[in-house]
Amino acid sequence: MRLFYRNEELMSLDRLGFAPRIESLLKGIAVQNQGVLLVTGPAGSGKSTTLAALLRHLVETLPGKSVVTLEDPVEIRIDGVTQVPITPHGQMTFPTALRSLLRQDPQVLMIGEIRDAETARIAIEAGLTGHLLMSTMHSGSPAGALLRLLEMGVEPYQVTSSISAVVSQRLVRRLCGKCRKQGGNGQFEPVGCESCFGTGYHGRVLIAEMVRLDSDLRKAILAKADLDELEALLKAKDHTTILTDGKRLVETGVTTQAELQKACGIASDGDMPGHGQQCGN
């Protein structure tokens, strides 16, 4: 069972825990007139919360903009935004609703999730025709999300021309501030107390990585590079991975190395799973 609730701490973009660089880039994308922003990650990784905070920032920064969302279901109510519930098993599906909305020419669109090829193609076309579109996808890494669009039948030139950025995120448990202790290696460890019900952790915190398409990445996509080639290209550019982003939280005592490895699908001996399953390389 998923319980939806309003948490005041999660309503503002600057309180979600993004690294300053990613937060600044997201705010820049929010004021663009067109393009597609994808937020990826497994179920329960905070994708909807991120998009809701971004839409709330947009409404506060640019009042009067026409903002419409298509969601299944509507999880977080946002003042100043028209939110349309979608019933996938009825007549009001994502593709049907999206086509109808595009004829009304809204300025900003948010789709709860890109699940199929038809929705992907319409979403990309919207980003190419003067709309700012945001959505989520279930993908392990930014490179994996780009390749998934190609696998859905979106043409490479459409991907390179429409995608503004891809954000991949996870949630890790936050160390309890009342009982954590510093170990011999300088890192903090969980202990357990009444405040955290003996778990040593209290709440969760965000880790993320962001990829913006530059000329090299666009050329690779147009050349239909595979996942290994895209990830190698990002590595050569000294791209900050989600694992690297998480290490800053370990170093400051916010979470533990074990939590970071668990979220990124890394075994205790440091081995990584297959490409694209979780955090990437």
Side-chain angles (χ1 to χ4, degrees), residues 208-223:
E209 67 176 298
M210 182 175 186
V211 170
R212 299 202 71 178
L213 270 65
D214 58 15
S215 59
D216 291 335
L217 197 53
R218 288 190 177 94
K219 289 177 183 176
I221 294 172
L222 290 172

mmCIF file with all atom_site columns, all heavy atoms in Angstrom, residues 208-223:
data_model
loop_
_atom_site.group_PDB
_atom_site.id
_atom_site.type_symbol
_atom_site.label_atom_id
_atom_site.label_alt_id
_atom_site.label_comp_id
_atom_site.label_asym_id
_atom_site.label_entity_id
_atom_site.label_seq_id
_atom_site.pdbx_PDB_ins_code
_atom_site.Cartn_x
_atom_site.Cartn_y
_atom_site.Cartn_z
_atom_site.occupancy
_atom_site.B_iso_or_equiv
_atom_site.pdbx_formal_charge
_atom_site.auth_seq_id
_atom_site.auth_comp_id
_atom_site.auth_asym_id
_atom_site.auth_atom_id
_atom_site.pdbx_PDB_model_num
ATOM 1   N N   . ALA A 1 208 ? 21.646 11.889 -6.644  1.00 0.00 ? 208 ALA A N   1
ATOM 2   C CA  . ALA A 1 208 ? 21.226 12.026 -8.042  1.00 0.00 ? 208 ALA A CA  1
ATOM 3   C C   . ALA A 1 208 ? 22.399 12.337 -8.953  1.00 0.00 ? 208 ALA A C   1
ATOM 4   O O   . ALA A 1 208 ? 23.467 12.768 -8.505  1.00 0.00 ? 208 ALA A O   1
ATOM 5   C CB  . ALA A 1 208 ? 20.179 13.136 -8.167  1.00 0.00 ? 208 ALA A CB  1
ATOM 6   N N   . GLU A 1 209 ? 22.196 12.090 -10.229 1.00 0.00 ? 209 GLU A N   1
ATOM 7   C CA  . GLU A 1 209 ? 23.124 12.527 -11.274 1.00 0.00 ? 209 GLU A CA  1
ATOM 8   C C   . GLU A 1 209 ? 22.300 13.118 -12.406 1.00 0.00 ? 209 GLU A C   1
ATOM 9   O O   . GLU A 1 209 ? 21.123 12.788 -12.581 1.00 0.00 ? 209 GLU A O   1
ATOM 10  C CB  . GLU A 1 209 ? 23.989 11.379 -11.787 1.00 0.00 ? 209 GLU A CB  1
ATOM 11  C CG  . GLU A 1 209 ? 23.236 10.289 -12.536 1.00 0.00 ? 209 GLU A CG  1
ATOM 12  C CD  . GLU A 1 209 ? 24.162 9.221  -13.099 1.00 0.00 ? 209 GLU A CD  1
ATOM 13  O OE1 . GLU A 1 209 ? 25.005 9.569  -13.940 1.00 0.00 ? 209 GLU A OE1 1
ATOM 14  O OE2 . GLU A 1 209 ? 24.026 8.053  -12.698 1.00 0.00 ? 209 GLU A OE2 1
ATOM 15  N N   . MET A 1 210 ? 22.936 13.990 -13.194 1.00 0.00 ? 210 MET A N   1
ATOM 16  C CA  . MET A 1 210 ? 22.224 14.670 -14.271 1.00 0.00 ? 210 MET A CA  1
ATOM 17  C C   . MET A 1 210 ? 23.095 14.723 -15.513 1.00 0.00 ? 210 MET A C   1
ATOM 18  O O   . MET A 1 210 ? 24.296 14.999 -15.436 1.00 0.00 ? 210 MET A O   1
ATOM 19  C CB  . MET A 1 210 ? 21.852 16.091 -13.839 1.00 0.00 ? 210 MET A CB  1
ATOM 20  C CG  . MET A 1 210 ? 21.064 16.883 -14.861 1.00 0.00 ? 210 MET A CG  1
ATOM 21  S SD  . MET A 1 210 ? 20.570 18.490 -14.168 1.00 0.00 ? 210 MET A SD  1
ATOM 22  C CE  . MET A 1 210 ? 19.516 19.115 -15.476 1.00 0.00 ? 210 MET A CE  1
ATOM 23  N N   . VAL A 1 211 ? 22.483 14.415 -16.646 1.00 0.00 ? 211 VAL A N   1
ATOM 24  C CA  . VAL A 1 211 ? 23.184 14.462 -17.931 1.00 0.00 ? 211 VAL A CA  1
ATOM 25  C C   . VAL A 1 211 ? 22.466 15.443 -18.843 1.00 0.00 ? 211 VAL A C   1
ATOM 26  O O   . VAL A 1 211 ? 21.259 15.332 -19.065 1.00 0.00 ? 211 VAL A O   1
ATOM 27  C CB  . VAL A 1 211 ? 23.223 13.072 -18.597 1.00 0.00 ? 211 VAL A CB  1
ATOM 28  C CG1 . VAL A 1 211 ? 23.721 13.183 -20.035 1.00 0.00 ? 211 VAL A CG1 1
ATOM 29  C CG2 . VAL A 1 211 ? 24.122 12.134 -17.806 1.00 0.00 ? 211 VAL A CG2 1
ATOM 30  N N   . ARG A 1 212 ? 23.211 16.424 -19.349 1.00 0.00 ? 212 ARG A N   1
ATOM 31  C CA  . ARG A 1 212 ? 22.704 17.339 -20.368 1.00 0.00 ? 212 ARG A CA  1
ATOM 32  C C   . ARG A 1 212 ? 23.348 16.965 -21.695 1.00 0.00 ? 212 ARG A C   1
ATOM 33  O O   . ARG A 1 212 ? 24.539 16.650 -21.750 1.00 0.00 ? 212 ARG A O   1
ATOM 34  C CB  . ARG A 1 212 ? 23.017 18.784 -20.016 1.00 0.00 ? 212 ARG A CB  1
ATOM 35  C CG  . ARG A 1 212 ? 22.385 19.238 -18.707 1.00 0.00 ? 212 ARG A CG  1
ATOM 36  C CD  . ARG A 1 212 ? 22.251 20.739 -18.669 1.00 0.00 ? 212 ARG A CD  1
ATOM 37  N NE  . ARG A 1 212 ? 21.209 21.207 -19.596 1.00 0.00 ? 212 ARG A NE  1
ATOM 38  C CZ  . ARG A 1 212 ? 20.859 22.480 -19.737 1.00 0.00 ? 212 ARG A CZ  1
ATOM 39  N NH1 . ARG A 1 212 ? 21.473 23.416 -19.031 1.00 0.00 ? 212 ARG A NH1 1
ATOM 40  N NH2 . ARG A 1 212 ? 19.923 22.837 -20.595 1.00 0.00 ? 212 ARG A NH2 1
ATOM 41  N N   . LEU A 1 213 ? 22.578 17.006 -22.759 1.00 0.00 ? 213 LEU A N   1
ATOM 42  C CA  . LEU A 1 213 ? 23.093 16.594 -24.057 1.00 0.00 ? 213 LEU A CA  1
ATOM 43  C C   . LEU A 1 213 ? 23.997 17.673 -24.648 1.00 0.00 ? 213 LEU A C   1
ATOM 44  O O   . LEU A 1 213 ? 23.561 18.810 -24.847 1.00 0.00 ? 213 LEU A O   1
ATOM 45  C CB  . LEU A 1 213 ? 21.940 16.299 -25.019 1.00 0.00 ? 213 LEU A CB  1
ATOM 46  C CG  . LEU A 1 213 ? 21.430 14.845 -25.013 1.00 0.00 ? 213 LEU A CG  1
ATOM 47  C CD1 . LEU A 1 213 ? 20.804 14.502 -23.672 1.00 0.00 ? 213 LEU A CD1 1
ATOM 48  C CD2 . LEU A 1 213 ? 20.453 14.603 -26.143 1.00 0.00 ? 213 LEU A CD2 1
ATOM 49  N N   . ASP A 1 214 ? 25.268 17.327 -24.895 1.00 0.00 ? 214 ASP A N   1
ATOM 50  C CA  . ASP A 1 214 ? 26.183 18.223 -25.587 1.00 0.00 ? 214 ASP A CA  1
ATOM 51  C C   . ASP A 1 214 ? 26.449 17.665 -26.981 1.00 0.00 ? 214 ASP A C   1
ATOM 52  O O   . ASP A 1 214 ? 25.868 16.649 -27.388 1.00 0.00 ? 214 ASP A O   1
ATOM 53  C CB  . ASP A 1 214 ? 27.476 18.398 -24.796 1.00 0.00 ? 214 ASP A CB  1
ATOM 54  C CG  . ASP A 1 214 ? 28.196 17.083 -24.535 1.00 0.00 ? 214 ASP A CG  1
ATOM 55  O OD1 . ASP A 1 214 ? 27.861 16.073 -25.200 1.00 0.00 ? 214 ASP A OD1 1
ATOM 56  O OD2 . ASP A 1 214 ? 29.102 17.062 -23.675 1.00 0.00 ? 214 ASP A OD2 1
ATOM 57  N N   . SER A 1 215 ? 27.335 18.307 -27.724 1.00 0.00 ? 215 SER A N   1
ATOM 58  C CA  . SER A 1 215 ? 27.569 17.906 -29.117 1.00 0.00 ? 215 SER A CA  1
ATOM 59  C C   . SER A 1 215 ? 28.118 16.481 -29.217 1.00 0.00 ? 215 SER A C   1
ATOM 60  O O   . SER A 1 215 ? 27.707 15.717 -30.102 1.00 0.00 ? 215 SER A O   1
ATOM 61  C CB  . SER A 1 215 ? 28.527 18.893 -29.788 1.00 0.00 ? 215 SER A CB  1
ATOM 62  O OG  . SER A 1 215 ? 29.769 18.939 -29.099 1.00 0.00 ? 215 SER A OG  1
ATOM 63  N N   . ASP A 1 216 ? 29.020 16.097 -28.327 1.00 0.00 ? 216 ASP A N   1
ATOM 64  C CA  . ASP A 1 216 ? 29.601 14.759 -28.381 1.00 0.00 ? 216 ASP A CA  1
ATOM 65  C C   . ASP A 1 216 ? 28.549 13.687 -28.112 1.00 0.00 ? 216 ASP A C   1
ATOM 66  O O   . ASP A 1 216 ? 28.506 12.641 -28.779 1.00 0.00 ? 216 ASP A O   1
ATOM 67  C CB  . ASP A 1 216 ? 30.745 14.632 -27.363 1.00 0.00 ? 216 ASP A CB  1
ATOM 68  C CG  . ASP A 1 216 ? 31.948 15.469 -27.737 1.00 0.00 ? 216 ASP A CG  1
ATOM 69  O OD1 . ASP A 1 216 ? 32.118 15.756 -28.941 1.00 0.00 ? 216 ASP A OD1 1
ATOM 70  O OD2 . ASP A 1 216 ? 32.715 15.843 -26.831 1.00 0.00 ? 216 ASP A OD2 1
ATOM 71  N N   . LEU A 1 217 ? 27.712 13.941 -27.118 1.00 0.00 ? 217 LEU A N   1
ATOM 72  C CA  . LEU A 1 217 ? 26.673 12.968 -26.774 1.00 0.00 ? 217 LEU A CA  1
ATOM 73  C C   . LEU A 1 217 ? 25.634 12.876 -27.895 1.00 0.00 ? 217 LEU A C   1
ATOM 74  O O   . LEU A 1 217 ? 25.149 11.776 -28.216 1.00 0.00 ? 217 LEU A O   1
ATOM 75  C CB  . LEU A 1 217 ? 26.010 13.372 -25.461 1.00 0.00 ? 217 LEU A CB  1
ATOM 76  C CG  . LEU A 1 217 ? 25.190 12.305 -24.723 1.00 0.00 ? 217 LEU A CG  1
ATOM 77  C CD1 . LEU A 1 217 ? 26.009 11.039 -24.515 1.00 0.00 ? 217 LEU A CD1 1
ATOM 78  C CD2 . LEU A 1 217 ? 24.689 12.845 -23.399 1.00 0.00 ? 217 LEU A CD2 1
ATOM 79  N N   . ARG A 1 218 ? 25.313 13.987 -28.506 1.00 0.00 ? 218 ARG A N   1
ATOM 80  C CA  . ARG A 1 218 ? 24.362 13.975 -29.627 1.00 0.00 ? 218 ARG A CA  1
ATOM 81  C C   . ARG A 1 218 ? 24.925 13.175 -30.806 1.00 0.00 ? 218 ARG A C   1
ATOM 82  O O   . ARG A 1 218 ? 24.210 12.399 -31.443 1.00 0.00 ? 218 ARG A O   1
ATOM 83  C CB  . ARG A 1 218 ? 24.038 15.406 -30.059 1.00 0.00 ? 218 ARG A CB  1
ATOM 84  C CG  . ARG A 1 218 ? 23.163 16.166 -29.076 1.00 0.00 ? 218 ARG A CG  1
ATOM 85  C CD  . ARG A 1 218 ? 22.689 17.487 -29.671 1.00 0.00 ? 218 ARG A CD  1
ATOM 86  N NE  . ARG A 1 218 ? 21.785 18.192 -28.773 1.00 0.00 ? 218 ARG A NE  1
ATOM 87  C CZ  . ARG A 1 218 ? 22.151 19.114 -27.908 1.00 0.00 ? 218 ARG A CZ  1
ATOM 88  N NH1 . ARG A 1 218 ? 23.444 19.464 -27.829 1.00 0.00 ? 218 ARG A NH1 1
ATOM 89  N NH2 . ARG A 1 218 ? 21.275 19.700 -27.120 1.00 0.00 ? 218 ARG A NH2 1
ATOM 90  N N   . LYS A 1 219 ? 26.211 13.364 -31.097 1.00 0.00 ? 219 LYS A N   1
ATOM 91  C CA  . LYS A 1 219 ? 26.834 12.616 -32.195 1.00 0.00 ? 219 LYS A CA  1
ATOM 92  C C   . LYS A 1 219 ? 26.807 11.115 -31.921 1.00 0.00 ? 219 LYS A C   1
ATOM 93  O O   . LYS A 1 219 ? 26.563 10.312 -32.822 1.00 0.00 ? 219 LYS A O   1
ATOM 94  C CB  . LYS A 1 219 ? 28.273 13.087 -32.387 1.00 0.00 ? 219 LYS A CB  1
ATOM 95  C CG  . LYS A 1 219 ? 28.403 14.485 -32.975 1.00 0.00 ? 219 LYS A CG  1
ATOM 96  C CD  . LYS A 1 219 ? 29.863 14.915 -33.061 1.00 0.00 ? 219 LYS A CD  1
ATOM 97  C CE  . LYS A 1 219 ? 29.998 16.340 -33.587 1.00 0.00 ? 219 LYS A CE  1
ATOM 98  N NZ  . LYS A 1 219 ? 31.424 16.792 -33.591 1.00 0.00 ? 219 LYS A NZ  1
ATOM 99  N N   . ALA A 1 220 ? 27.042 10.741 -30.666 1.00 0.00 ? 220 ALA A N   1
ATOM 100 C CA  . ALA A 1 220 ? 27.037 9.329  -30.296 1.00 0.00 ? 220 ALA A CA  1
ATOM 101 C C   . ALA A 1 220 ? 25.642 8.731  -30.456 1.00 0.00 ? 220 ALA A C   1
ATOM 102 O O   . ALA A 1 220 ? 25.486 7.598  -30.939 1.00 0.00 ? 220 ALA A O   1
ATOM 103 C CB  . ALA A 1 220 ? 27.530 9.159  -28.868 1.00 0.00 ? 220 ALA A CB  1
ATOM 104 N N   . ILE A 1 221 ? 24.618 9.483  -30.068 1.00 0.00 ? 221 ILE A N   1
ATOM 105 C CA  . ILE A 1 221 ? 23.242 8.992  -30.206 1.00 0.00 ? 221 ILE A CA  1
ATOM 106 C C   . ILE A 1 221 ? 22.859 8.872  -31.672 1.00 0.00 ? 221 ILE A C   1
ATOM 107 O O   . ILE A 1 221 ? 22.234 7.889  -32.088 1.00 0.00 ? 221 ILE A O   1
ATOM 108 C CB  . ILE A 1 221 ? 22.272 9.925  -29.457 1.00 0.00 ? 221 ILE A CB  1
ATOM 109 C CG1 . ILE A 1 221 ? 22.534 9.868  -27.951 1.00 0.00 ? 221 ILE A CG1 1
ATOM 110 C CG2 . ILE A 1 221 ? 20.820 9.539  -29.751 1.00 0.00 ? 221 ILE A CG2 1
ATOM 111 C CD1 . ILE A 1 221 ? 21.764 10.898 -27.155 1.00 0.00 ? 221 ILE A CD1 1
ATOM 112 N N   . LEU A 1 222 ? 23.238 9.861  -32.474 1.00 0.00 ? 222 LEU A N   1
ATOM 113 C CA  . LEU A 1 222 ? 22.941 9.816  -33.911 1.00 0.00 ? 222 LEU A CA  1
ATOM 114 C C   . LEU A 1 222 ? 23.656 8.637  -34.576 1.00 0.00 ? 222 LEU A C   1
ATOM 115 O O   . LEU A 1 222 ? 23.156 8.070  -35.559 1.00 0.00 ? 222 LEU A O   1
ATOM 116 C CB  . LEU A 1 222 ? 23.351 11.126 -34.579 1.00 0.00 ? 222 LEU A CB  1
ATOM 117 C CG  . LEU A 1 222 ? 22.492 12.350 -34.225 1.00 0.00 ? 222 LEU A CG  1
ATOM 118 C CD1 . LEU A 1 222 ? 23.118 13.617 -34.794 1.00 0.00 ? 222 LEU A CD1 1
ATOM 119 C CD2 . LEU A 1 222 ? 21.071 12.179 -34.740 1.00 0.00 ? 222 LEU A CD2 1
ATOM 120 N N   . ALA A 1 223 ? 24.818 8.268  -34.026 1.00 0.00 ? 223 ALA A N   1
ATOM 121 C CA  . ALA A 1 223 ? 25.567 7.122  -34.553 1.00 0.00 ? 223 ALA A CA  1
ATOM 122 C C   . ALA A 1 223 ? 25.065 5.806  -33.978 1.00 0.00 ? 223 ALA A C   1
ATOM 123 O O   . ALA A 1 223 ? 25.646 4.748  -34.252 1.00 0.00 ? 223 ALA A O   1
ATOM 124 C CB  . ALA A 1 223 ? 27.049 7.291  -34.250 1.00 0.00 ? 223 ALA A CB  1
#
